[in-house]
Amino acid sequence: VLENLEQTIVSGFGSLESQQDFRTPEFEEFNGKLDSLFFNDGQRRIDFVLVYEDESRKETNKKGSNEKQRRKRRAYESNLICDGLQLEATRSLLDDKLVFVKVHAPWEVLCTYAEIMHIKLPLKPNDLKTRSSAFDNFNWFTKVLQVDESIIKPEQEFFTAPFEKNRMNDFYIQDRDTFFNPATRSRIVHFILSRIKYQVRDNVKKFGINKLVSSGIYKAAFPLHDCNFSSPSEDLSCPNERYLLYREWAHPRSMYKKQPLDLIRKYYGEKIGIYFAWLGYYTQMLLLAAVVGVACFLYGYFNQNNCTWSKEVCDPDIGGKIIMCPQCDKLCPFWKLNVTCESSKKLCLFDSFGTLVFAVFMGVWVTLFLEFWKRRQAELEYEWDTVELQQEEQARPEYEARCTHVVINEITQEEERIPFTTWGKCIRITLCASAVFFWILLIIASVIGIIVYRLSVFIVFSAKLPKNLNGTDPIQKYLTPQMATSITASLISFIIIMILNIIYEKVAIMITNFELPRTQTDYENSLTMKMFLFQFVNYYSSCFYIAFFKGKFVGYPGDPVYWLGKYRNEECDPGGCLLELTTQLIIIMGGKAIWNNIQEVLLPWVMNLIGRCRTVSGAEKKAPRWEQDYHLQPMGKLGLFYEYLEMIIQFGFVTLFVASFPLAPLLALVNNILEIRVDAWKLTTQYRRMVPEKAQDIGAWQPIMQGIAILAVVTNAMIIAFTSDMIPRLVYYWSFSVPPYGDHPHYTMQGYINNTLSYFNVADFKSKSKENPYTELGDYTTCRQNYLLKCLHLISRYRDFRYPPGHPQEYKHNIYYWHVIAAKLAFIIVMEHIIYSVKFFISYAIPDVSKSTKSKIRREKYLTQKLLHENHLKDMTKNMGVIAERMIAVVDNNIRPKSD
């Protein structure tokens, strides 16, 4: 039946099968124009290319399966021709098994679908005067950063309106061949390809090029690049936009220049254009944050010598005489406080007053960034004509294929088809939510595994690393058990994170496909929320553990708290866990940036190199444009989704935990400068051209960033309050260094370390051993926790605020502890309210759309309506004049004398 249908439909168009075995002699005519973008006749433009492998020439020929694929392909191509598209098949010059089907959309097809898709097209040139910028006086300074307008010429602006065939005369049509630009032509053709059916079975329609490619019936489907990236086309009519993008955007020598956003949008579409606009704006704003972060870091560096509490830790007469309790039950020794001298010096770099200033600044910075981006986004919506884009979006082909239930629309009172009933939708939502919750629990389980590793391996490092009690061993000086555990756990955590990312990606896609969102925007937003939720737990859980849980619930040496009833909870260094959190951030953030950049550069380059090696050596240089593009890498179904996800995760590191690492914005700035050019190089040189898509904004990523910005205020306030040692130092300085609690006559930080370490009598350990209680370490004789029969006189110290042994409330929290807790809570409340108040004021004071942009939008809308109305009146007047002339002629004929 399909073959008869094909013969009927294809009548007058020629058989594709007959073209497959025919190496067209017309190909020799443009043998010197291998970058040609036209059919063999040189007139019809190639809007899309379909590639398949000829089953009859495969080495392993499975007759039944191949015949089914051939029938589906024939039916599909026949339906394409029936829908008005024109096809031309050409066999590959490099591999005779490959067949390239070139697709051309005639004028009538373009007009029909432009109206269906509500595509906005030019009415007349836009002659509105743009307002001068406040920075026009600095053009001499910024000119070197701008794109050379003599190379990339500015696009002419037009008033636009949704296209209508019956009002074609209203539109600015000077040349039918250029009225629809290549990006619009490709978008229309892809719209058609995604909705043409190829099989109907059991009243279920199967259609769309995506399913045909995924099932192997076609090898690829893509629009063409307009030329080679390294050299302009020999065709004088070619705009060479790919070459210009590579030269002025992707080439390393253009790294300092601004991005040619208008050309990016024209060539790749608004969706890719808005991504690079957002990434560029985010990078510009990071410059300010990086400068302030470096200033705060330098403040800590230059004030390092004034860090009194670090000096006390390193002082042999203070830290060298303080004996600390073991941090595990059996293998861990007693140790002297000055062992942590080097880590306390490093901690002074980050745990300073500059950290507090920077945390407050970043709370304001992130609000400024989001608000100013909204304004910039509104300007791009106006400039790129996407203000009313939401009305244009169509349902996904996968959604339309499942619409089998007929219901009555409450608004139109007409029948419409939906994929499932309300009850079915509730079931799907419940199953999807359950699956998401299950996988989040699985992520948390992996985090718990890392925690168990930390708890167990700490004992090993405590036993294996040198145990010089005086801390003079060069290895022990820089590699303490805490530091060794932190570094190895961070590395293992990073490896697990990268492995789990691969699994979670597939799981999130499966869940979203089962959910079946209606539009592509709904699909991407749903997938975005799931993937970000997975990645949020995956990347940030270890940081949250170190910042807010490690060392917080440890009890005291005589009554420690155990994890899972077996592992003793980890303790922080005497200076807190801030340095460990900084280490974790550096490893994960730096490792992720290095891994992603290597993957983005090497993976497509190696894959393309392998593809070229499989072909005849040097033959790719003589291949036509469509074969050269076929051997490039496909971009993938999700497009720039992973690029957004990478940057949003980085945005979280920069904002959520910036109080522990002021240099995070600087690392992000350097990474983003490289990221922009790496992504540009990848798109222009290593990947096939993507189907241009419309986009009004960055989608669900905007509310995600707003949520991160709100959460960042809380996390940074809690890091300063609970993870760093700033609040206890301030409480000591203002209250406990002077009478009635202290002995100093004036405010000072002297004695702070001794005041923050509580006393413990080793006789109060619960477990005792009959083995030798002494361990000789140098000239000092001490005893371990479990060897207490002969050394019950030893008094050791531990990090906490508790009453000493012999006190009526021994080992209970003292008054200093409650002062510190009250100060921490007060600090969090005050800091949050101040920053949230400033954020609210900034959000209120800065409108999302600037006044000038609003005026331009209203003015253009008014002029467009006026233009359409005037043209409509002209048409009516013209028609009325014709009717009047005809009526007069009829009247004249009726009253004319019969003799005449």
Side-chain angles (χ1 to χ4, degrees), residues 522-540:
D522 294 339
Y523 179 88
E524 293 179 358
N525 290 344
S526 179
L527 181 62
T528 296
M529 297 305 297
K530 294 180 181 64
M531 281 292 291
F532 178 75
L533 193 59
F534 289 154
Q535 300 285 10
F536 184 91
V537 180
N538 199 17
Y539 276 105
Y540 302 142

Side-chain angles (χ1 to χ4, degrees), residues 283-521:
T283 304
Q284 291 178 15
M285 292 294 291
L286 276 176
L287 179 60
L288 176 61
V291 170
V292 179
V294 170
C296 293
F297 176 79
L298 293 176
Y299 172 84
Y301 177 79
F302 289 116
N303 285 274
Q304 189 176 6
N305 295 329
N306 299 327
C307 192
T308 306
W309 54 274
S310 178
K311 290 180 179 180
E312 291 184 352
V313 171
C314 299
D315 191 343
D317 296 330
I318 301 178
K321 293 183 178 180
I322 297 178
I323 303 172
M324 302 296 294
C325 288
Q327 293 183 315
C328 62
D329 287 340
K330 295 182 179 180
L331 299 178
C332 299
F334 289 89
W335 51 286
K336 282 194 173 183
L337 182 62
N338 63 348
V339 171
T340 61
C341 176
E342 291 300 322
S343 62
S344 66
K345 291 180 179 179
K346 297 174 185 176
L347 190 60
C348 291
L349 297 174
F350 305 104
D351 195 0
S352 63
F353 179 73
T355 301
L356 173 61
V357 175
F358 189 59
V360 175
F361 167 80
M362 288 301 293
V364 177
W365 173 88
V366 69
T367 305
L368 291 173
F369 162 63
L370 293 176
E371 293 303 319
F372 282 121
W373 164 246
K374 290 178 184 178
R375 292 168 64 90
R376 175 59 178 153
Q377 188 171 256
E379 293 175 1
L380 292 175
E381 288 179 18
Y382 167 74
E383 294 173 3
W384 293 353
D385 217 5
T386 59
V387 176
E388 298 177 353
L389 180 64
Q390 296 298 327
Q391 301 175 2
E392 303 176 12
E393 192 162 17
Q394 306 290 328
R396 296 167 59 238
E398 295 81 358
Y399 180 89
E400 293 178 344
R402 299 293 298 273
C403 291
T404 56
H405 298 276
V406 179
V407 296
I408 303 298
N409 190 298
E410 296 180 356
I411 299 175
T412 63
Q413 293 299 313
E414 296 178 355
E415 290 186 353
E416 65 178 11
R417 292 183 177 271
I418 59 175
F420 31 73
T421 61
T422 303
W423 177 245
K425 185 175 181 179
C426 293
I427 294 177
R428 283 176 178 264
I429 293 175
T430 303
L431 292 176
C432 291
S434 302
V436 170
F437 182 69
F438 168 78
W439 282 98
I440 289 177
L441 291 179
L442 192 61
I443 300 173
I444 296 175
S446 68
V447 175
I448 294 176
I450 294 295
I451 296 174
V452 172
Y453 165 82
R454 300 172 68 97
L455 297 174
S456 58
V457 81
F458 177 78
I459 301 175
V460 177
F461 282 124
S462 298
K464 299 298 183 182
L465 290 178
K467 302 178 179 62
N468 189 337
L469 193 64
N470 295 319
T472 58
D473 189 276
I475 297 179
Q476 187 184 21
K477 186 176 181 180
Y478 294 98
L479 189 62
T480 62
Q482 294 90 341
M483 182 62 68
T485 302
S486 176
I487 293 175
T488 56
S490 298
L491 291 174
I492 294 175
S493 177
F494 171 72
I495 294 173
I496 292 177
I497 285 172
M498 303 311 294
I499 294 175
L500 292 180
N501 280 345
I502 302 174
I503 302 174
Y504 300 147
E505 171 192 333
K506 297 180 179 179
V507 171
I509 293 175
M510 290 175 58
I511 295 174
T512 308
N513 289 338
F514 178 76
E515 187 180 338
L516 199 64
R518 181 179 178 273
T519 65
Q520 184 65 22
T521 300

Side-chain angles (χ1 to χ4, degrees), residues 91-131:
R91 191 172 296 280
S92 170
L93 292 179
L94 308 179
D95 185 356
D96 60 357
K97 294 191 294 294
L98 290 178
V99 178
F100 293 87
V101 180
K102 294 167 282 186
V103 183
H104 169 75
W107 171 260
E108 287 297 327
V109 174
L110 293 173
C111 292
T112 300
Y113 279 93
E115 184 173 5
I116 293 173
M117 299 170 66
H118 305 287
I119 295 178
K120 290 185 176 182
L121 293 169
L123 287 172
K124 62 175 294 187
N126 187 342
D127 55 355
L128 292 179
K129 299 291 184 180
T130 57
R131 301 190 179 185

